[in-house]
Amino acid sequence: MIGIESKLSDNVKRMRPSEIREILTLTENRKVLSLAGGLPGPEVFPKEELAAIASRVIEELGDSALQYSPTLGVMPFREAVVDFVKGKGVKVNDNDRVAVTTGSQEAIYLLAMTLVNPGDGIVVESPTYLAALNVFRYHGAEFIPVPIDENGMRTDLLEDSIKKAKQRGINVKMIYTVATCHNPTGVIMSDDRRKELLEVASKYDLLVIEDDPYSFFVFDDTNFTHLKTMDSEGRVIYLGTFSKILAPGLRLGYMIADRQLTRAVELAKQMVDLHSSTLSQYIALYAIREGVVDKTIEKARKAYKEKRDVMVDALEEYMPEGSHWFKPKGGLFAFIYLPEGVDTADMLPTAIDRGVAYVPGRNFFSDGSGANAMRINFSYLSPDKLRTGIKIIADTAKDYLASKRATSA
Ligand code: PMP
């Protein structure tokens, strides 16, 4: 057997496993209630409509739909994406261009390739989306974490954090935010804070990545304005995805940003995957045109709101005293803080043995905090299973605390 390890590039040493994907692998083929991934509820997938559309796309457009296509995406789909986001209140500037990407995860990766030099500073919410942290970390970014509360990023702390990073010699370059229906907490940044964020970005000449997979799923009457729409200086890069509003298996996301940046992203994408799936793009195009996407959004919002309510009831009923969380205003996730002393990573194997999986909170913090926190997803399981899953987690946490107390007594 040859030794592969000595052949691996130095890059591999900087790669971190995605805890979520590892847990998904661990729980595959086991009867585990997974509250770990960000999976849409399968009942929401428009299966019949997509089966009919897929077959029509191949019959009608087979020669082009099965063919290679331009790196930034097929033109009718790019145009449809612009109309679609405009219809959802996202401002698109004359100088903007769309890049279709293989999920918005690829957009994050391409942005890191094109914007981040080792040592560059990126402001992130604390906690934030763990796979963005992994990408930026791989590209050598320095994180500037800013805490959040129920109104999103604490923008009152933003300028000071940037100043301190600059004093340490860091070239602060951008702010990455999941401002609407935040992953992992489900909070929505208030418009006042969005304004403040943009003012600070302008003062320090920072780019802003508005990563927005979840703004279609706002459950209560919370008003918000997209950062992209508030921005008058062309510094907001908007990321969207069809993963939660159609199907993640299509692997379709998009970036809308200044044309110069889009050109750089195009060059990067030429190296990574040439282009995103042509077939997926035509399927999504038909789905937008025929109202399937809007119908799926409505169906998902209703289903997820109901599940959010079931989850919150179950949390209140079962979680050990001293636990706390934000009631998610939208999205797919809740972030639970268990009492101090619980290490959710340490507790996970027991939870999985008892039939339930979640993501330990530490992964969502750039500074390694959050040991007593966990992210749970509420979109995937049926309401009954969700309730059962939360009860198992709560019982496991109570047992964990009791055994800690017993060993320290
Ligand atoms: N950004 C955020 C905040 C996410 O939660 C996710 C996936 N759950 C992504 C990006 C990537 O999603 P996709 O690649 O499926 O579009």
Side-chain angles (χ1 to χ4, degrees):
M1 288 294 257
I2 60 163
I4 292 297
E5 190 147 356
S6 63
K7 308 279 188 283
L8 295 175
S9 76
D10 293 342
N11 290 339
V12 176
K13 298 194 188 96
R14 288 182 290 121
M15 290 177 188
R16 288 261 189 112
S18 156
E19 186 105 17
I20 300 175
R21 305 218 68 80
E22 301 282 308
I23 295 168
L24 289 178
T25 311
L26 210 67
T27 55
E28 209 185 0
N29 304 325
R30 289 179 65 176
K31 274 214 155 98
V32 171
L33 299 173
S34 182
L35 287 79
L39 279 55
E43 76 279 17
V44 166
F45 290 141
K47 290 182 268 273
E48 278 170 30
E49 289 94 329
L50 282 181
I53 285 176
S55 120
R56 256 188 299 130
V57 162
I58 293 178
E59 278 159 24
E60 293 168 15
L61 300 174
D63 286 350
S64 38
L66 298 173
Q67 193 53 278
Y68 285 112
S69 57
T71 297
L72 289 181
V74 296
M75 197 46 93
F77 181 56
R78 292 173 69 201
E79 288 168 355
V81 166
V82 170
D83 288 344
F84 175 73
V85 298
K86 280 184 176 168
K88 306 292 174 202
V90 178
K91 186 182 75 176
V92 179
N93 302 322
D94 290 345
N95 207 35
D96 283 340
R97 293 292 176 274
V98 185
V100 175
T101 56
T102 302
S104 49
Q105 187 64 35
E106 188 194 34
I108 296 170
Y109 189 85
L110 297 172
L111 284 171
M113 278 177 83
T114 48
L115 293 173
V116 181
N117 289 317
D120 282 351
I122 305 180
V123 176
V124 293
E125 283 136 352
S126 187
T128 188
Y129 174 50
L130 72 90
L133 287 178
N134 284 349
V135 168
F136 293 138
R137 191 182 282 119
Y138 173 74
H139 285 87
E142 288 284 335
F143 292 115
I144 302 150
V146 177
I148 59 167
D149 64 18
E150 61 276 11
N151 291 313
M153 184 191 285
R154 291 274 311 274
T155 45
D156 55 321
L157 304 176
L158 178 60
E159 181 164 9
D160 207 37
S161 310
I162 292 169
K163 273 192 196 154
K164 284 193 183 129
K166 282 183 164 291
Q167 279 159 9
R168 286 194 288 134
I170 293 173
N171 175 25
V172 185
K173 208 169 231 177
M174 59 189 176
I175 302 172
Y176 168 82
T177 173
V178 188
T180 316
C181 311
H182 178 251
N183 181 357
T185 62
V187 301
I188 296 178
M189 194 190 293
S190 68
D191 273 9
D192 285 349
R193 290 195 184 175
R194 289 174 195 241
K195 245 168 74 200
E196 193 173 2
L197 182 149
L198 288 174
E199 279 162 15
V200 174
S202 181
K203 183 165 172 187
Y204 292 90
D205 192 20
L206 309 180
L207 291 170
V208 177
I209 301 179
E210 180 178 24
D211 188 6
D212 189 32
Y214 305 116
S215 63
F216 307 97
F217 312 126
V218 175
F219 306 135
D220 311 312
D221 286 332
T222 313
N223 288 324
F224 69 91
T225 312
H226 288 98
L227 286 160
K228 181 87 174 77
T229 304
M230 283 187 176
D231 169 33
S232 57
E233 300 177 331
R235 62 179 69 253
V236 175
I237 301 160
Y238 181 82
L239 305 186
T241 176
F242 286 88
S243 287
K244 317 294 168 166
I245 58 175
L246 197 55
L250 293 171
R251 305 305 303 129
L252 278 186
Y254 49 93
M255 175 189 95
I256 301 178
D258 175 272
R259 65 192 302 165
Q260 249 181 304
L261 176 59
T262 312
R263 173 67 181 150
V265 161
E266 180 179 13
L267 299 183
K269 189 168 165 64
Q270 285 172 1
M271 290 190 285
V272 173
D273 63 354
L274 306 182
H275 64 80
S276 299
S277 159
T278 320
L279 183 58
S280 288
Q281 292 181 61
Y282 279 112
I283 290 172
L285 172 65
Y286 277 39
I288 294 174
R289 279 188 188 155
E290 295 173 17
V292 177
V293 173
D294 280 335
K295 226 173 81 185
T296 307
I297 290 172
E298 280 315 306
K299 195 171 169 189
R301 186 187 317 155
K302 270 201 201 114
Y304 299 166
K305 180 180 190 313
E306 189 193 324
K307 292 182 186 186
R308 189 273 315 257
D309 291 341
V310 167
M311 174 195 69
V312 170
D313 281 351
L315 288 172
E316 281 168 3
E317 190 173 341
Y318 299 128
M319 278 295 159
E321 212 173 301
S323 310
H324 61 100
W325 54 85
F326 301 116
K327 179 177 175 181
K329 290 184 177 153
L332 274 56
F333 305 105
F335 203 61
I336 321 295
Y337 288 87
L338 290 162
E340 287 296 333
V342 178
D343 181 328
T344 54
D346 191 32
M347 190 178 97
L348 183 62
T350 313
I352 292 178
D353 280 347
R354 294 182 179 187
V356 67
Y358 57 81
V359 186
R362 208 180 279 141
N363 300 281
F364 299 90
F365 291 87
S366 58
D367 58 7
S369 57
N372 62 324
M374 63 169 65
R375 188 191 77 176
I376 59 175
N377 161 272
F378 56 82
S379 56
Y380 177 59
L381 295 176
S382 67
D384 278 355
K385 288 191 169 152
L386 185 57
R387 231 185 133 72
T388 308
I390 289 168
K391 180 158 189 332
I392 298 173
I393 291 176
D395 289 344
T396 310
K398 285 175 192 163
D399 292 348
Y400 185 94
L401 281 166
S403 74
K404 274 224 125 180
R405 272 190 217 114
T407 48
S408 64

